[in-house]
Amino acid sequence: MGSLSSPVLLALFVASAAVIWYAGIKLSDTTDVLSERLHLGSALGGLIMLAIATNLPEVAITASAAMSGQLDVAVGNILGGIALQTVVLVVLDAAGVRPRAPLTRLAASLVLVLEGVLVIVVLAVVVMGTQLPGDLSFARVDPASLSITALWIVGLLLLNRAGKGLPWHEGGDAPGAQPEPRGHSKGKKEKSASDKGIGTTRAALVFGAAAVATLVAGVVIERSGEEFFGRQGLSGILFGATVLAAATSLPEVSTGLTSTKLGDYQLAISDIFGGNAFLPVLFLLATLISGKPVLPTAHHTDIYLTALGIVLTAVYVAGLVFRPQRQFLRMGVDSLAVLVMYAAGIVGLATISG
């Protein structure tokens, strides 16, 4: 990439972002269709299949960085995207909610609170893992990445159980929340696909093609973007936490807007929380590829971004419990707080990475 001119690098970056956006829409639609037809269930379908699908750019970047021995890039890519993906909820709150009401008020559910807690717990273990010795591993696996993966799997099992009903009033859903059950948009997408004569095989082929396109675009956007924005004076850490994180979050934006458009606000938040809980699992992938623990290579800026992700997630968990009514600038007070905190966090990141 270093031999290419800046206009060509910028064109590659923008083209890759467009591919990720379009492929993200196709991934979302086909994932929902396949989830319904294969009877995966709303929790497993949303938290496993879609979490992996919408994070394919991060999967590609992490694998590429681990194969080339750039472990710090792998760590920064994973942790830098979590805070920004949480900010995607601000976009959905401001642009996707109809009728006008705070997103967390309409989506309030104890299951979503549990999903947010899972994100916080996983990120806390990430911080603990960064403090372990770099040579602590067995059979190419370190205890931190293995613990994170185990926690994620256990969390999914508990969330799947919670999705079938909780011993609370209305099964854990708040009164006055979205009128239709969580995941109803998947059924609508499946019906629309059936009406158009789209079979399961075709949906699977489209899913596969969109996944490959996203993987390739993920690598191109990281390589071209890092070179181009580096020439503009943007450090690698700031680039990864802002520009690259925003570009690789495009699938979450497209799937979230689709869900909110169909009134499935709970699924929109679940997709974000599910993706954020899944991203640290990629440390296991990076460790297996590189053959040595990845988390101990984390910089202080990575730990800082992890803490920022915890704080932003906690704000939305509180919003799901308190269910704000008032809006400011078309956002709930929780979304406004997240936006301000994220902006302040990036300013702080610039000071410690300079």
Side-chain angles (χ1 to χ4, degrees):
M1 289 289 180
S3 61
L4 299 177
S5 65
S6 293
V8 172
L9 289 171
L10 181 59
L12 285 173
F13 182 86
V14 173
S16 299
V19 170
I20 290 173
W21 173 271
Y22 182 75
I25 296 174
K26 294 299 181 183
L27 281 172
S28 172
D29 292 343
T30 53
T31 296
D32 290 342
V33 171
L34 293 173
S35 176
E36 287 293 300
R37 293 182 180 176
L38 298 178
H39 307 291
L40 296 179
S42 60
L44 289 178
L47 293 177
I48 298 179
M49 198 170 180
L50 190 59
I52 296 174
T54 56
N55 283 292
L56 283 174
E58 288 84 358
V59 173
I61 295 170
T62 299
S64 174
M67 284 187 289
S68 62
Q70 297 176 303
L71 300 185
D72 55 340
V73 174
V75 175
N77 167 63
I78 294 170
L79 300 180
I82 292 176
L84 197 284
Q85 286 190 179
T86 307
V87 179
V88 169
L89 291 175
V90 176
V91 177
L92 302 184
D93 194 1
V97 178
R98 299 289 187 278
R100 295 308 312 166
L103 177 63
T104 49
R105 181 167 186 81
L106 294 175
S109 163
L110 288 180
V111 177
L112 289 179
V113 172
L114 291 174
E115 290 182 20
V117 170
L118 176 60
V119 175
I120 293 172
V121 170
V122 168
L123 293 182
V125 176
V126 167
V127 174
M128 295 167 64
T130 63
Q131 305 305 304
L132 294 176
D135 57 354
L136 184 61
S137 65
F138 178 75
R140 298 178 69 92
V141 177
D142 66 301
S145 62
L146 193 60
S147 298
I148 290 169
T149 304
L151 275 173
W152 181 66
I153 293 173
V154 171
L156 289 186
L157 293 174
L158 292 174
L159 289 171
N160 188 45
R161 180 177 177 180
K164 297 176 181 178
L166 290 170
W168 290 74
H169 179 60
E170 297 191 23
D173 288 334
Q178 64 181 56
E180 297 184 80
R182 167 177 160 170
H184 68 85
S185 60
K186 294 184 178 183
K188 293 178 180 178
K189 289 182 181 180
E190 195 281 328
K191 183 178 183 304
S192 176
S194 297
D195 292 342
K196 295 177 181 178
I198 299 176
T200 303
T201 301
R202 180 180 171 184
L205 289 174
V206 172
F207 176 88
V212 171
T214 304
L215 285 170
V216 174
V219 175
V220 174
I221 202 170
E222 189 273 333
R223 300 284 176 83
S224 61
E226 185 175 22
E227 181 66 29
F228 174 78
F229 288 99
R231 295 178 184 179
Q232 314 310 311
L234 190 64
S235 70
I237 294 173
L238 283 176
F239 164 72
T242 55
V243 179
L244 182 60
T248 55
S249 294
L250 289 174
E252 285 78 11
V253 176
S254 62
T255 56
L257 289 176
T258 300
S259 295
T260 54
K261 181 180 179 181
L262 295 173
D264 205 343
Y265 306 115
Q266 291 181 355
L267 185 63
I269 295 181
S270 176
D271 289 343
I272 298 298
F273 282 170
N276 284 348
F278 167 75
L279 277 176
V281 176
L282 296 180
F283 286 125
L284 180 60
L285 172 66
T287 299
L288 290 172
I289 293 175
S290 64
K292 52 186 177 182
V294 174
L295 267 175
T297 66
H299 300 298
H300 59 289
T301 50
D302 298 317
I303 300 174
Y304 177 92
L305 287 170
T306 304
L308 179 60
I310 291 175
V311 171
L312 300 185
T313 302
V315 172
Y316 271 121
V317 169
L320 290 166
V321 173
F322 287 99
R323 303 182 66 205
Q325 298 186 41
R326 298 185 62 184
Q327 287 184 298
F328 304 89
L329 303 176
R330 300 172 66 88
M331 295 177 288
V333 64
D334 45 6
S335 291
L336 184 61
V338 164
L339 186 61
V340 172
M341 289 179 179
Y342 179 75
I346 294 302
V347 171
L349 179 64
T351 62
I352 64 175
S353 62

